Amino acid sequence: MSGSRPPCLLALETSCDETAASVVTTAGEVLSSEVASQIEIHRAYGGVVPEVASRNHIQVMRLVCEQAMQSAGVALPEITAFAATSGPGLVSSLLIGSTMAKALALAGKKPFLAINHLEGHLLSPFMTKPGEATGDTAAPIPPHLALIVSGGHTMLMNVRGVGQYDLVGRTRDDAAGEAFDKVAKMLGLPYPGGPEIDRRARHGRRDAYEFPRSMMEAGNYEFSFSGLKTAVLYLLPKIDLTDEGTMNDVCASFQEAVIEVLVKKTVNAARQHGQRIIGVSGGVSCNHRLRERFTERCAKAGIELRLTPPTYSTDNAAMIGFAAVHRHLTGYQSPLEIDVDPNLSLVG
Ligand code: KG4
Ligand code: ZN
């Protein structure tokens, strides 16, 4: 079987609190994607504690790597290159995956590839579906307008090709996922708040409360979610959150305000940049209403929509492996001296 299989890369992701490893072929096919989540550990603190995250990465990293290779049916000597997220993220977490991948590359005399976490998200809407891969090389990434919407970032990028990214707009304050998490905390909902608000919003009225939509003037592609967050804070003393219906209504109305801004600006940006394809990625792209609204709006605008599959929307190593495959195909390789960078940028 291994005779007909294209070469494989092992990719590691430890930018925050997920310890993840994945084996991806140079055709872009994901053979395995293991994610060890620390969510239960950090929930007690209401957020991620960097030192705790780093220590846990050390404890499970080796096991997660072995599991990824085992479920892919690939032995270590068969791996042709090693990749790891090198930023942005928590420096003490990034160091664990990066050091592990460098050590494996050094020991096996194989290439090492430092990958930008945001590039992993950015390219993930184009990840090859099971059985879709043909030949030895992944299909090229088409030009498109990308929305990355996660716990740390909210940005619009004009993508001309792999490594050719122009920033169209980003958030001036909170990322959309951060707004979900902070509002959920205010409402007394468990961490992480995004999935919880999503779940409750399905039973709530989207027009129950009027929340602000910021910076909606034509041609403005920046985002701001702090006004919306404050509006929810001011509403709290006036309502009874012990009432299930009220709680669901606040969730649905808040969620609608975030999503309306994201969808409108992304579709307008695609039109302005002459892009016929939109790619949406990052943890918040799991959101049901966001997926529904993007589907409706893109169909209306005649734009092809590529939504990242929910399993690859939140942090995982398969997206890092997929980005590494595309970088690898361009001949990209990183020196082992390369450092992690908690503020690594995707542009310039
Ligand atoms: O991409 P990700 O796993 O990590 C970062 O790189 O930030 O995104 C995590 C974020 C969290 O803020 C989480 O609340 C949010 O994605 N999220 C959601 C949903 N699932 C995850 N937000 C809204 N609705 C969801 N269903
Ligand atoms: Zn992420």
Side-chain angles (χ1 to χ4, degrees), residues 26-327:
T26 53
E29 190 179 359
V30 178
L31 298 184
S32 65
S33 177
E34 299 292 326
V35 183
S37 172
Q38 304 177 12
I39 218 153
E40 295 307 325
I41 300 165
H42 297 280
R43 185 166 282 146
Y45 304 97
V48 176
V49 183
E51 289 309 312
V52 175
S54 177
R55 242 174 281 147
N56 276 285
H57 285 313
I58 295 173
Q59 279 171 7
V60 301
M61 186 81 260
R62 183 181 171 159
L63 184 66
V64 173
C65 284
E66 284 169 355
Q67 277 172 348
M69 287 185 286
Q70 198 178 36
S71 50
V74 175
L76 190 56
E78 294 177 78
I79 304 282
T80 52
F82 296 89
T85 306
S86 62
L90 300 170
V91 68
S92 51
S93 287
L94 289 164
L95 269 171
I96 312 304
S98 172
T99 307
M100 180 81 173
K102 282 181 188 178
L104 289 166
L106 183 66
K109 299 188 177 58
K110 308 273 173 66
F112 166 69
L113 292 92
I115 300 295
N116 187 313
H117 180 82
L118 295 174
E119 186 170 43
H121 278 306
L122 180 89
L123 301 180
S124 61
F126 299 90
M127 281 169 73
T128 317
K129 294 185 184 69
E132 208 182 49
T134 51
D136 272 7
T137 43
I141 303 291
H144 65 281
L145 204 292
L147 170 69
I148 306 175
V149 66
S150 71
H153 299 86
T154 297
M155 49 170 67
L156 287 168
M157 309 285 292
N158 188 40
V159 179
R160 289 174 282 118
V162 172
Q164 298 175 296
Y165 313 127
D166 304 314
L167 181 67
V168 174
R170 61 154 64 127
T171 182
R172 290 204 182 160
D173 38 60
D174 291 343
E178 197 179 351
F180 267 95
D181 295 340
K182 286 180 178 170
V183 164
K185 204 170 184 175
M186 283 183 211
L187 299 174
L189 298 174
Y191 170 86
E196 190 66 23
I197 289 183
D198 185 357
R199 196 177 61 75
R200 287 182 169 271
R202 293 194 207 195
H203 310 288
R205 291 172 299 147
R206 298 190 284 263
D207 58 356
Y209 299 98
E210 192 144 334
F211 289 129
R213 276 82 165 143
S214 295
M215 304 206 274
M216 292 304 276
E217 57 288 355
N220 187 339
Y221 299 114
E222 301 283 292
F223 298 92
S224 169
F225 296 109
S226 62
L228 172 58
K229 206 176 57 187
T230 309
V232 177
L233 186 67
Y234 285 165
L235 176 72
L236 294 186
K238 301 176 199 156
I239 56 172
D240 175 15
L241 284 177
T242 59
D243 177 67
E244 187 88 2
T246 305
M247 175 70 96
N248 294 346
D249 285 350
V250 177
C251 288
S253 302
F254 160 77
Q255 177 176 280
E256 198 65 11
V258 176
I259 287 165
E260 193 181 318
V261 174
L262 293 173
V263 174
K264 209 169 217 164
K265 285 184 185 252
T266 308
V267 171
N268 287 348
R271 281 207 186 106
Q272 196 196 310
H273 287 82
Q275 296 287 20
R276 307 304 306 159
I277 304 175
I278 283 177
V280 188
S281 62
V284 182
S285 73
C286 286
N287 185 277
H288 291 85
R289 180 68 181 151
L290 178 139
R291 296 176 89 85
E292 183 179 81
R293 284 300 288 149
F294 260 114
T295 305
E296 287 166 6
R297 284 298 303 272
C298 287
K300 217 167 168 185
I303 291 173
E304 183 188 337
L305 176 66
R306 302 291 291 255
L307 291 166
T308 306
T311 33
Y312 298 130
S313 292
T314 49
D315 289 349
N316 65 89
M319 69 179 192
I320 302 302
F322 187 71
V325 160
H326 281 279
R327 286 286 183 169

